[in-house]
Each structure stands twice: as structure tokens, then as C-alpha cells.
Amino acid sequence: MSASRRSGTTDELGPGEPEREPERDAPDDSGGSDLLAALLDGMDAALCAFDADGVVTHWNREAERILGWTAAEAVGRHGFAGWAVREADADEVEGRLLSAMHAPGRQVHEFALLTKDGGRVLVRTQSAAVRGPDGKPAGVYCAFSEVHAQIDLERSIALSEALFEDAAWGVVLVDADLRPAVVNAHAARALGIGRTSALGRPLGELLALGVEDLESALTHVLAEGAPPAPAEMWVSVRTAEGEQRRCWRSGFLRLASPLAEEPVPLGVGWLFQDVTEAKQSEQEAAMLRFRANQLHRAARAAAECEDPAEAATVHLDFALAGFADHAVVDRVVGGARGDGDVGPVRLVRIAATPAGTPGPSLLTGAAGLPVRYEDGHPALQCVERAGSVRADAGSVPPDRARAWALDRQWPGDAVHALCAVLRSRGRTLGVVTFLRGSGRNRFERPDATYAEDVAVRIATALDLAGLLRER
């Protein structure tokens, strides 16, 4: 008996033939038979085959695992009747299977088979004709698997297709070299590039900022596995309108081959959702709560000051926290300026934060000497307009930015300025200037609103100090 018959398979479909003595010079075909047996037994799907008379000729290990019948028990039986199928269903099942010999292509059926211990298993079969050398049907082969396993496979495939076509979040498969291998439509729109254009390109070509953090996360997932929770990552995306800063809530999954004995990383599945607007709203709400709390604390502390001028510096110190690096307060020479007053504006610096180490604001200007502000200075514009004014050094080298600040009588590390007018009782008392260094963003409209709130409190304290001096 050949090796394939010993393992439950035969060399070719059809009834068994009498064994012949091999000719002396004929090559030994046992290697081919062993190879066929190994291939059949190594298949992931269960496989059986019938000859033209309906006799089982092949039965692999997966079929044995599903139904419990060994190859020795299955091969040679006529059909499934009485052992693998109930007698009442045998004619219908065998008719549907053997009909594949005379039908083109493959046929798919579902029916229940019996296990060796008497249980029933619902299987899905694919059967097709096997033809002999003369082209006539010589039998039929049938590959089958448990329906629930097939459904799980179809669900996995359907899930993958849905993720890459209809998902409302970005899905990117990144290979072990950290290059995109598959990109869905949502991710392509978020990256501002076509689905095929992104494939195989370094992440640094797709993102302007945030690439290092993303690559670090992907490398960690390849080495250690998926993190326990999503991560929020800030990136900058190149668009036709310029770079746009976005916040992506990202989840990562390590992809490993199911065919290897040990997990072999194939890459990382990266799923992300744009949460920029929600994150910005959350940050703005937190900032507003903090600033409101600072205003409240400043008011409580200023109320305990006997000198109203000292209360003005208290408001200034509380306002600086998380808002600016430096601040100066300039008072109009003569005490106040009415809306109808004309003539040049002259300012005296009465308070400033230390230029070196951090510390509380200091009262200055006892000599009453005007500050050397040139025409067009933001502080002078603020007084003339009775409204807030913003100024920036712009994108210049550090030495030019330092010269820009010193020319305006500000600390040398200032690159962003916001001037808010000090108004009380319908008069302009002066201006408070908040300054930021290069490590901070430029002042925006919400910053101006906060600065104006602080300016109102400082102006009230300075106005009270002037009234007390007059008395």
C-alpha cells in the first residue's frame, strides 16, 4: 500500500487498483505520495473526496478533527449514509455533493454532519468535479468547515472592509518599517493626501510636526504590544492653506501573523479620531476657570492692601500666572487724560516685574521721569485709541528680536506684547503691557479680553491711590 493510502489518502481518485510490483529501473514514487499526504493533512480546511461511484477516497486530519472519524474509518466507505449523515438525509446530501461532477465551477452547500460521538455539526461545503486524463468526471472533492468558523472569518473580512471604506475614523496599517501599508478614506482626508499616495512613504513626509511622538508610539507597540488606553497626540498636517495643528485621539494594535509558531509582528494598526475642536474647547474652558479663579484671588488679596498702589501690583502679579512672562504699568503724566485732550502722550513707568529672576512686581517712577517711547510705540497707540493693541517681533533671528524689545523699553527676551488701556471714571489713566517670550504663543483675542479685565481692576486701584494723594 502506498504512503498516501496508509495515511488515509490515495494517489489518484477512483477505486483501488491492485498493487503492482515496481519495475527494477522505475523511480520510487513514495516521495510524491508522502508529499501529497503531507499537503492534505496540513490543510486548514477539512477535505474529503469521492470517486465516480461515491466511495470516499481522501480524508484529511482537519476532517478527522471536526467529525472525529479517522482516515482509516472513513476511506473506503460508500457515501456518508449511516455514519457521517443521518439515514433520512443521506440521499439528499450525497445527491447534492455528487452533482458537482456534472456542474461547472464550485458549488456551495450547508448541511449537518454527524460526529463519531453522535453529535451534529453544521458545515459549509465547497465541492467541485475532479476530471481524469480523458477530461471525463472521475470524482468530486469536498472542502468543508464549521459554519460558525466560516461566519467568524466572513465577519472578520467584512469588518476589515468596513473599516477601510466606511469608518468614521482614520485607520492606517503601518508595516514594521513604520511606513503606511494601507490607508482608509477617512485617514487619507485627515492627512490631506490620496490613499495610494501615502503608501510606503515615511511618516515625516505626511506630517509636519508630531512625527517623533507618533513613531515612538508605533515602535513601543511593535516591541511591547498595545497600550491600555487611547493616546491624544498633537500633530501638524500640511494643507493647501498651510500647516494645521490637529489633535488625534489614537489607539494602537500590534498585528502578528497567525501562521507563525511564535508571534511575528507584521506592523501596527493605528486608529485615530480628530478631537481638535473638543480638545480646544476643553482647554479654553479650563483656562477660563483658572483665570476667573485668579481674578477672584487677586480681588481678595488686593482688598487687604492699605495702599491702593500696592493693590494694583497685586492684581498684576496674579494676572501673570500662566498668562505672560513680564508686565509693566505706565501712568499718564499729569494723572489722567480725558477723551477730548489733545497733544503728545507722555507716560511714566510706575510698576514692573523684575527683569531677571521671577518675583513680585515693584513700584517705580518716584522721580516722575517719562519713559523714552518713540512715536508709534504700542503703549502710546493704546492710550491714543483707548483700546487694546497687540505687537510681535515676527519671525526674525534672536538678535533682531532682542533689539526689537530693547528699542521699545521692554525686557530683551520679549517677542509678543499686549497693551491694555487703564480707564476709570471716563478717563485714561495709563496702560498695562503684558509681554511673552519666544516659548509662548502670540496673544489672541481671548487673551486681550482677560487683559482688559485685569486693566479695569488696576485702573480702579490707581484712581483710588490718586484720590487719596489729593486729599
Side-chain angles (χ1 to χ4, degrees), residues 458-469:
I458 294 177
T460 301
L462 293 180
D463 196 14
L464 177 59
L467 291 174
L468 292 179
R469 283 196 300 270

Side-chain angles (χ1 to χ4, degrees), residues 136-154:
K136 296 181 179 181
V140 62
Y141 79 85
C142 173
F144 63 91
S145 61
E146 298 175 79
V147 168
H148 72 81
Q150 184 72 17
I151 291 177
D152 288 343
L153 175 61
E154 292 179 0

